[in-house]
Amino acid sequence: MSSYKGHSLFALILVLMFTFNPLIIALAVIGANIPDFDHKFRKENVYKMIILGLLVFISLYILKLPYFIGLIIVFLGVTFYFSEHRSFTHSIPGTVILASAVSLILIWGWELIINVTILPNNYLIAILIALLSFLFLNKRLLPIFIPLFFISVVFLQAFEITYIQIVLALFLGLLSHVVLDATTPAGVKLFAPLSSKKYYKNFAIGAIFILIILALICRIPMLFSLFESFIS
């Protein structure tokens, strides 16, 4: 079984094939750590997530602000609580739903405070991503992740992120977790709960190959620019 270190590193390698944007990279690494919240030893964290969601919901409701963020956090906690390990949260339907839910938390939180702060958008979203990391990353990873993340944001402050990039970054991270777990003898139930069939190394190899092709396609404009600069 891959550890949080292995999943984080694998997600980092995959996302670097597509971009050097620190915001996208951070989200992919966070996404790679989300599926294992279905572990039994993470139940305490799941309880905390549900309680946090309820507190956010009640607070925003009292303040007459959009309270759906709290409901989605509760939804995530309940999903992890009832999910069998390496089942729904390690499937394609699960990665789509989890990526969508976490993206909504981030996007709605961004929209909620964007009008009450003077911080530039990329710094504001960076702070929200950092807060998200406290929710999903292993506490042993945080002392490395947080400083490196903010240092990269400060030095590369021109970077921004769109809503679709938020979703895709989280999905890539979640998918990387599924792909890496498919290389283990236990495999993954790729289409749970629709099917209990398990997929193994062949799926992982195929998925990595497709991701490499997609990364090359995404890099074509940059390669053309480099070629034009070279011949000029």
Side-chain angles (χ1 to χ4, degrees):
M1 181 180 67
S2 300
S3 68
Y4 68 90
K5 296 177 183 177
H7 284 298
S8 300
L9 181 59
F10 185 59
L12 178 63
I13 293 170
L14 287 183
V15 73
L16 283 174
M17 295 193 306
F18 291 90
T19 182
F20 298 121
N21 185 327
L23 303 178
I24 296 176
I25 293 170
L27 284 174
V29 172
I30 292 171
N33 286 270
I34 293 175
D36 275 347
F37 267 76
D38 61 5
H39 265 297
K40 288 184 178 180
F41 67 79
R42 290 260 182 114
K43 289 299 182 184
E44 182 179 345
N45 292 333
V46 171
Y47 296 145
K48 291 178 181 178
M49 188 179 298
I50 293 173
I51 293 171
L52 173 64
L54 290 173
L55 291 175
V56 171
F57 166 74
I58 294 170
S59 300
L60 294 177
Y61 182 82
I62 293 174
L63 295 172
K64 296 183 179 180
L65 294 171
Y67 49 78
F68 298 107
I69 298 174
L71 294 179
I72 294 179
I73 296 174
V74 172
F75 165 76
L76 286 173
V78 172
T79 299
F80 291 127
Y81 181 83
F82 286 105
S83 180
E84 177 188 352
H85 183 50
R86 286 205 179 185
S87 184
F88 177 70
T89 64
H90 288 64
S91 69
I92 296 299
T95 57
V96 171
I97 291 176
L98 290 175
S100 301
V102 178
S103 296
L104 285 175
I105 293 172
L106 195 58
I107 292 169
W108 283 345
W110 193 6
E111 291 182 343
L112 189 63
I113 63 177
I114 198 170
N115 295 320
V116 295
T117 180
I118 59 173
L119 286 173
N121 278 353
N122 56 334
Y123 284 104
L124 176 59
I125 191 64
I127 292 172
L128 292 176
I129 290 173
L131 292 175
L132 193 68
S133 71
F134 280 96
L135 186 61
F136 289 113
L137 290 187
N138 187 291
K139 62 181 180 181
R140 295 178 182 175
L141 186 59
L142 285 172
I144 301 172
F145 175 87
I146 295 296
L148 288 178
F149 174 54
F150 278 112
I151 288 171
S152 63
V153 169
V154 169
F155 279 96
L156 303 172
Q157 52 188 292
F159 284 101
E160 295 183 355
I161 192 170
T162 64
Y163 290 165
I164 188 64
Q165 287 173 329
I166 289 174
V167 178
L168 291 176
L170 286 165
F171 178 77
L172 179 62
L174 284 154
L175 181 63
S176 74
H177 188 112
V178 176
V179 170
L180 193 58
D181 275 358
T183 64
T184 64
V188 292
K189 297 177 182 178
L190 198 57
F191 297 101
L194 303 176
S195 171
S196 60
K197 180 181 177 179
K198 289 189 174 183
Y199 292 78
Y200 301 90
K201 287 184 179 180
N202 287 340
F203 159 72
I205 293 170
I208 292 171
F209 177 76
I210 291 172
L211 287 171
I212 291 173
I213 297 299
L214 290 174
L216 289 173
I217 293 172
C218 291
R219 291 294 189 180
I220 284 176
M222 184 191 72
L223 294 175
F224 272 118
S225 299
L226 290 174
F227 178 71
E228 289 176 357
S229 298
F230 177 76
I231 62 175
S232 62

